[in-house]
Amino acid sequence: MARFLKDRSKAKGMVPGSLVLIGRQKMDKPIFQIMRFNKDELLEETFETFAEIQQVYQPDRVNWINVYGLHDLDMIKQLGVEYKFPSLLLEDILNTDQSPKYENGESYDAFIMKILHQEEGSKRIHAEQITLVLGENYVLTLQERTGDVFDVVRERIRKNKGRVRVSGNDYLAYALMDALVDNYSILIENIGRQVEDMEDRLFKNMDAKIVEEIYQFKTELNYIRKAVRPMREFITNLLRTEDTFFQEKNIAFLKDLNDLIVQCTEAVEMYNSMTSDQLNIYNSNMSNKMNEVMKTLTIFASIFIPLTFIAGIYGMNFEYIPELKFKYGYLVFWIIILILAGGLLVYFKRKKWL
């Protein structure tokens, strides 16, 4: 399956709003987690059905409902009915190739984003889709599989650190997006460090493997840009929207988040440009090296052309060549050859061709 564009053959011919999972099924069955908290108390549980989540839902607290697994279409429909999500939003949730976007509904703010991760020992970046929905007294997150970048937020909730337990569900939504962007920064920094280290190798080693590495970095940076760049646009749109579920006191945090996303976007663009420059430098170095080789061969050819001419004259099969009867003819021949070759070398040296 292509990384930049997933197979959409299952959705071919279907009307907009049809529920079809675009992408691979990554879990056998969904898992439902809920964290219900206020400044004084925290309850954290895991269930196997959405109905169990509804039974423990407490509107007077912040409810963070996290769903792992998107393949159960009946479960997605049930979520749509419970939270009054339109069919087009449900379609986007199931489309794991959906570009990051922000949707402002009557009873929710929905954010479709990407969780990026890099496997240990590999330079390849992988993406998982996450949908975050902010409602009046809940935050709903839907992910393709277990494993995310939100453990830092969970620990802050469990240990009652920072503002998250006293600032409402909109601050929780911000904290989750902030953890996501922090992960982007770490990945970009890691790749950027390797890209910068390529410069020293580029001037010392002309191994063709360097080109492969540079091209791989360029590919991964483009993959990151596909996830990060749209977030810059939708955070800007969120800040311009008046009827969101973010309280005025937390808007400043969104502005700070926007600054971080801008930094990430600019870093990706900078490193992407740097890899292009490195490829150009490599090609220029190869061209210069080839020119040096051609220059050396040309100089040697220029020296041997007159020598070959002289040798050719005295290698002819005419019976009467005056110099052939001369006693010191062979010595004179070599003197002329050496003087001619030496003179050409001196001439090339003065011209700075050598």
Side-chain angles (χ1 to χ4, degrees):
M1 185 180 293
R3 292 176 69 204
F4 285 84
L5 190 64
K6 296 184 179 180
D7 182 12
R8 298 183 58 87
S9 58
K10 294 180 181 178
K12 184 178 180 180
M14 291 190 173
V15 298
S18 299
L19 301 187
V20 179
L21 177 62
I22 305 298
R24 294 186 296 110
Q25 177 179 334
K26 297 182 179 180
M27 293 189 63
D28 294 330
K29 57 182 181 179
I31 297 175
F32 300 86
Q33 293 180 340
I34 184 170
M35 298 183 80
R36 311 181 303 284
F37 59 86
N38 55 27
K39 64 179 181 179
D40 300 315
E41 189 177 3
L42 165 67
L43 296 173
E44 185 175 358
E45 296 179 90
T46 301
F47 301 103
E48 294 184 356
T49 65
F50 179 66
E52 294 173 287
I53 289 285
Q54 291 177 297
Q55 293 175 3
V56 299
Y57 187 86
Q58 296 178 325
D60 60 332
R61 302 186 181 191
V62 175
N63 295 265
W64 176 15
I65 303 168
N66 191 57
V67 181
Y68 293 115
L70 302 178
H71 60 280
D72 190 336
L73 301 186
D74 291 333
M75 178 268 292
I76 297 296
K77 290 179 183 177
Q78 192 176 3
L79 285 174
V81 172
E82 177 66 23
Y83 295 106
K84 299 178 181 179
F85 296 155
S87 58
L88 290 177
L89 176 59
L90 299 179
E91 181 185 27
D92 290 340
I93 292 173
L94 290 171
N95 178 13
T96 60
D97 195 37
Q98 173 65 49
S99 179
K101 61 180 290 188
Y102 161 61
E103 180 177 320
N104 176 238
E106 293 183 3
S107 60
Y108 63 86
D109 284 325
F111 306 88
I112 296 178
M113 300 169 289
K114 304 294 179 182
I115 298 176
L116 301 179
H117 60 90
Q118 189 173 27
E119 295 179 358
E120 188 175 352
S122 172
K123 295 178 181 178
R124 198 177 182 113
I125 303 294
H126 299 273
E128 304 287 340
Q129 179 156 300
I130 176 171
T131 302
L132 186 154
V133 184
L134 170 62
E136 186 174 354
N137 50 26
Y138 70 88
V139 172
L140 173 65
T141 51
L142 300 104
Q143 304 182 50
E144 293 185 62
R145 62 178 179 180
T146 55
D148 51 39
V149 296
F150 301 138
D151 286 340
V152 290
V153 179
R154 293 187 180 97
E155 286 302 306
R156 283 158 55 190
I157 294 173
R158 291 167 184 151
K159 297 178 180 179
N160 200 3
K161 288 185 176 180
R163 303 168 178 264
V164 67
R165 290 274 290 269
V166 297
S167 297
N169 58 320
D170 59 331
Y171 184 86
L172 173 61
Y174 154 75
L176 295 176
M177 288 191 286
D178 184 61
L180 204 64
V181 175
D182 284 343
N183 181 61
Y184 293 162
S185 298
I186 293 171
L187 282 176
I188 295 168
E189 181 184 357
N190 182 41
I191 291 181
R193 189 184 305 112
Q194 297 178 69
V195 169
E196 291 179 18
D197 290 342
M198 290 293 294
E199 292 183 1
D200 293 334
R201 293 178 55 197
L202 196 62
F203 290 105
K204 295 177 181 178
N205 186 2
M206 298 299 292
D207 191 344
K209 290 184 179 179
I210 292 180
V211 177
E212 296 179 14
E213 292 184 44
I214 294 174
Y215 182 76
Q216 186 174 9
F217 286 134
K218 193 172 185 65
T219 301
E220 300 312 312
L221 286 167
N222 284 329
Y223 195 69
I224 293 175
R225 180 169 60 180
K226 184 175 183 284
V228 176
R229 197 172 185 177
M231 284 191 66
R232 179 177 179 177
E233 298 174 5
F234 82 55
I235 292 295
T236 301
N237 292 336
L238 173 62
L239 290 171
R240 292 174 180 171
T241 303
E242 296 181 356
D243 55 342
T244 73
F245 284 86
F246 281 94
Q247 301 178 54
E248 185 65 31
K249 64 180 181 179
N250 291 323
I251 293 298
F253 296 110
L254 292 177
K255 292 179 179 179
D256 181 69
L257 180 64
N258 185 58
D259 292 339
L260 291 176
I261 294 174
V262 169
Q263 291 177 15
C264 288
T265 305
E266 291 177 349
V268 169
E269 299 294 343
M270 179 185 66
Y271 285 124
N272 198 17
S273 177
M274 191 177 293
T275 54
S276 298
D277 292 340
Q278 288 176 348
L279 287 173
N280 291 334
I281 290 172
Y282 177 86
N283 291 330
S284 296
N285 287 343
M286 289 297 294
S287 296
N288 291 337
K289 187 176 181 180
M290 181 62 70
N291 289 338
E292 287 296 322
V293 172
M294 294 302 298
K295 177 181 174 181
T296 302
L297 294 177
T298 302
I299 288 174
F300 274 100
S302 299
I303 291 173
F304 277 92
I305 285 174
L307 305 186
T308 304
F309 174 73
I310 295 173
I313 290 176
Y314 290 98
M316 293 187 294
N317 294 322
F318 292 108
E319 184 176 354
Y320 299 104
I321 298 179
E323 292 82 3
L324 295 180
K325 301 295 183 178
F326 183 54
K327 181 179 180 179
Y328 299 103
Y330 183 70
L331 177 61
V332 172
F333 171 81
W334 275 108
I335 291 173
I336 294 173
I337 290 292
L338 293 174
I339 290 174
L340 187 58
L344 287 172
L345 286 172
V346 171
Y347 177 76
F348 293 151
K349 190 74 173 178
R350 289 181 176 177
K351 288 288 187 179
K352 297 183 179 181
W353 295 346
L354 284 175

